[in-house]
Amino acid sequence: MMIAVPEVEWDSFETQSAPELSHTLLNMAANVNPARLRKHPRKPKKKTRKGYVSGAEARRHVATARVPRGQEST
């Protein structure tokens, strides 16, 4: 942080006690707009088309108790 902010600016924070520093930081955070600090705004998700399945196939029901072992994915 010493590169981005000069050392003189940190002096006021070094002399504060822990409760004073937390109060100062909370006051600063209350005035920050997170959208302005974001580097890359998220793009909307691409819309994907759902694959086609016939109605008969979608409504087909198979009782799992009757499926022989090893053939569950038919």
Side-chain angles (χ1 to χ4, degrees):
M1 287 301 288
M2 294 298 187
I3 295 171
V5 181
E7 188 174 336
V8 179
E9 299 292 327
W10 292 104
D11 290 339
S12 62
F13 298 111
E14 287 181 343
T15 58
Q16 292 181 354
S17 65
E20 290 173 337
L21 181 60
S22 66
H23 184 71
T24 303
L25 292 174
L26 285 172
N27 285 338
M28 286 182 189
N31 297 317
V32 172
N33 181 5
R36 288 195 65 200
L37 299 175
R38 196 167 188 177
K39 289 184 178 181
H40 298 286
R42 185 174 176 166
K43 294 181 182 177
K45 290 184 178 180
K46 288 185 177 180
K47 293 188 178 185
T48 57
R49 297 189 68 190
K50 295 183 179 180
Y52 173 76
V53 176
S54 67
E57 184 68 25
R59 287 186 288 274
R60 188 171 66 103
H61 173 75
V62 177
T64 55
R66 293 184 181 224
V67 176
R69 233 187 168 142
Q71 295 181 1
E72 289 89 9
S73 62
T74 55

